[in-house]
Amino acid sequence: MTESIPPNFPPPLIPVEIISEEEMALIEAAFAATTKYLSSRSSLPSASQSQRNGKSIGTIPLNTKRRLSGCSESDNNLTSTDIEDLVGDSKNTQKKKLKVFDTFLHRFRRKRGLAITDITATEWCEKQMEFVLLRGKPKATRAMKAGTARHTKLEQEVIKRVEVRVEAAEDAWAVRLMNFISGTNQLLFEGLTRELPVIGCVDGVWMVGVIDEIRMPVTDTSRNPIFVDTKTRVRATLPSGPQTRNGRLQLMCYKYLWDSLVKDDFSARSFLSFFGLNPHYTLSVEVQQHASSSGFPAKTLEDLLAYFRNTCLMLPLADEQLLLRYEFQGDQSLLGEDNFTYDHTWLIGQIKYCLEFWLGEREADFVPQEERWKCRSCKFASVCSSFATVDSRSIYREE
């Protein structure tokens, strides 16, 4: 059972919040400060970014020098923090308040969480991600539409979509939890499922994603699910090093979230607080009917969270081996496969570095010189200060 909303599943109904004049003044001040801050940035890429993106996929160091606070329930409740920060008139309190509102995470992903695609898009090019947030996402290209159509076709091979009308954010999340339960049941009994939603907390930031495909091994010696992601290619060639690195990052993120759920690292209290959900909300009649017909009757969101947690505890950890498949869009022929091993240390370092951008700890970096060929397909190249300083030969030279 799935709902008819995009895979990044932002809640279809956002609760209306009433804020004070003081809060509104602070928001406007933060926005003005951000605009001035962005317009005065340097056009030169930093050395740290060049070192990070410039490394090859086979020589990724197993350490990181960047630090971020650990995951805690207090970190996840920005709404509570905002209210507490309003108490007092000290300059330090004022500055702290402005910093919270000034982060991209709070401005654009509050009560939604970061999508795994946000992480991969940030790793691909932080300046491009910044432009998307501030100027809007460009229209999908023909290649992007073809890729979406291919994934829809793959999903339809094993999953039947059922329309479910939702009336509140709690209903929408209930459907996602039901999708996870149904999908994992399909995986355990049939050995295959696709488009499975996952959620987890990394360093105090809630993240969401949709796993392309999960397979159960056919041998009895191993019962660890194998994660698979299919990438479509416009050209009948295998991807470059940076593209491979980006795809690997995506699959590793999915395994991290899955394993966290299996290890019972999911905090219902923190989840409800971050997304502003009421656990005692009575689900819509339609959602209740679908839950009951699926074998887990529930009246409230809290009921479904209990089913969700029990399901997670019965699942095995994901396999250490992950698989990327590359297909040619022209005839859907297989170009090749990238079977690689999960690298936890490298993954956490990459996520933390991306979060520094989302949490306002540093400015957005440009891609390193050797990866400036990415600018060729960027819709923001004409307004990016980095593009004007790039040697044209480096723009069109792909790895």
Side-chain angles (χ1 to χ4, degrees):
M1 179 184 306
T2 57
E3 58 176 324
S4 56
I5 58 178
N8 283 340
F9 48 82
L13 181 61
I14 305 299
V16 176
E17 295 184 359
I18 301 176
I19 63 176
S20 65
E21 294 181 0
E22 183 179 5
E23 285 184 290
M24 180 57 70
L26 289 170
I27 295 174
E28 293 175 350
F31 181 80
T34 303
T35 304
K36 181 179 180 181
Y37 166 72
L38 293 174
S39 64
S40 61
R41 289 182 175 178
S42 170
S43 61
L44 297 178
S46 70
S48 61
Q49 172 72 356
S50 178
Q51 294 170 358
R52 179 180 69 95
N53 278 343
K55 55 181 175 288
S56 66
I57 197 67
T59 59
I60 297 171
L62 298 181
N63 67 312
T64 178
K65 297 181 180 179
R66 296 177 174 82
R67 176 195 60 79
L68 204 66
S69 58
C71 181
S72 66
E73 292 190 2
S74 61
D75 290 334
N76 298 330
N77 192 350
L78 290 179
T79 303
S80 175
T81 303
D82 292 346
I83 296 174
E84 293 173 359
D85 285 348
L86 287 174
V87 180
D89 297 323
S90 68
K91 293 183 178 180
N92 291 335
T93 302
Q94 183 85 344
K95 289 180 179 179
K96 182 179 179 182
K97 174 66 178 179
L98 291 175
K99 184 176 181 181
V100 171
F101 274 116
D102 196 29
T103 67
F104 285 131
L105 178 66
H106 186 78
R107 291 173 59 192
F108 299 101
R109 296 296 184 264
R110 184 166 177 256
K111 293 190 178 181
R112 291 177 54 186
L114 273 183
I116 297 304
T117 51
D118 288 330
I119 295 295
T120 55
T122 303
E123 192 276 338
W124 182 256
C125 178
E126 291 182 356
K127 287 301 294 185
Q128 185 183 70
M129 185 75 254
E130 182 179 71
F131 279 124
V132 168
L133 294 173
L134 298 177
R135 293 170 174 260
K137 192 174 183 178
K139 293 182 179 179
T141 63
R142 181 179 300 179
M144 293 168 61
K145 292 179 180 179
T148 301
R150 175 55 177 160
H151 280 84
T152 300
K153 183 177 180 181
L154 289 171
E155 178 190 18
Q156 291 173 346
E157 292 177 355
V158 297
I159 294 176
K160 179 182 178 182
R161 282 186 174 270
V162 178
E163 298 291 334
V164 180
R165 191 173 70 89
V166 296
E167 299 176 1
E170 286 81 0
D171 289 324
W173 272 107
V175 173
R176 292 162 201 151
L177 297 176
M178 290 160 58
N179 285 341
F180 178 87
I181 298 171
S182 298
T184 52
N185 285 337
Q186 182 184 42
L187 174 68
L188 296 176
F189 288 101
E190 301 178 19
L192 175 69
T193 192
R194 288 178 177 148
E195 300 298 317
L196 186 82
V198 286
I199 182 173
C201 185
V202 185
D203 275 349
V205 177
W206 280 91
M207 298 183 184
V208 295
V210 179
I211 305 173
D212 192 13
E213 179 178 320
I214 309 179
R215 305 172 182 174
M216 287 298 290
V218 294
T219 62
D220 294 332
T221 57
S222 175
R223 296 300 294 170
N224 300 101
I226 300 172
F227 288 4
V228 182
D229 197 281
T230 299
K231 305 292 186 184
T232 61
R233 302 275 296 165
V234 176
R235 295 184 296 172
T237 59
L238 290 175
S240 63
Q243 291 170 315
T244 301
R245 182 183 69 226
N246 199 257
R248 288 186 174 188
L249 174 62
Q250 183 175 359
L251 269 181
M252 288 190 200
C253 284
Y254 292 150
K255 173 177 165 56
Y256 181 90
L257 296 186
W258 171 282
D259 287 353
S260 296
L261 293 174
V262 173
K263 295 175 183 177
D264 199 23
D265 289 339
F266 180 85
S267 170
R269 178 182 176 184
S270 177
F271 163 75
L272 294 166
S273 175
F274 180 88
F275 291 98
L277 303 172
N278 177 10
H280 307 297
Y281 169 83
T282 301
L283 302 173
S284 69
V285 174
E286 190 168 342
V287 172
Q288 289 188 50
Q289 289 174 346
H290 282 289
S292 180
S293 63
S294 299
F296 35 90
K299 291 186 176 181
T300 67
L301 180 60
E302 186 176 38
D303 294 336
L304 266 176
L305 281 171
Y307 283 118
F308 172 74
R309 181 171 181 267
N310 291 336
T311 299
C312 293
L313 295 177
M314 295 188 299
L315 298 172
L317 297 173
D319 198 286
E320 293 292 310
Q321 292 299 119
L322 304 169
L323 178 62
L324 281 170
R325 299 179 67 257
Y326 295 99
E327 289 185 357
F328 177 45
Q329 285 188 356
D331 57 9
Q332 297 178 0
S333 60
L334 181 65
L335 297 174
E337 295 184 339
D338 176 26
N339 194 304
F340 60 97
T341 304
Y342 175 75
D343 189 333
H344 180 78
T345 304
W346 177 78
L347 171 67
I348 296 302
Q350 290 290 302
I351 292 178
K352 286 184 175 182
Y353 191 83
C354 288
L355 289 182
E356 289 178 2
F357 160 78
W358 283 95
L359 296 173
E361 297 184 356
R362 59 175 176 79
E363 299 179 4
D365 276 331
F366 298 100
V367 294
Q369 185 69 31
E370 62 271 20
E371 295 184 18
R372 292 295 173 85
W373 50 265
K374 295 177 181 179
C375 301
R376 176 180 58 185
S377 58
C378 180
K379 302 299 182 181
F380 302 104
S382 61
V383 294
C384 181
S385 58
S386 174
F387 186 77
T389 63
V390 176
D391 184 341
S392 61
R393 291 173 296 179
S394 68
I395 297 176
Y396 297 95
R397 186 173 64 248
E398 182 176 346
E399 288 187 10

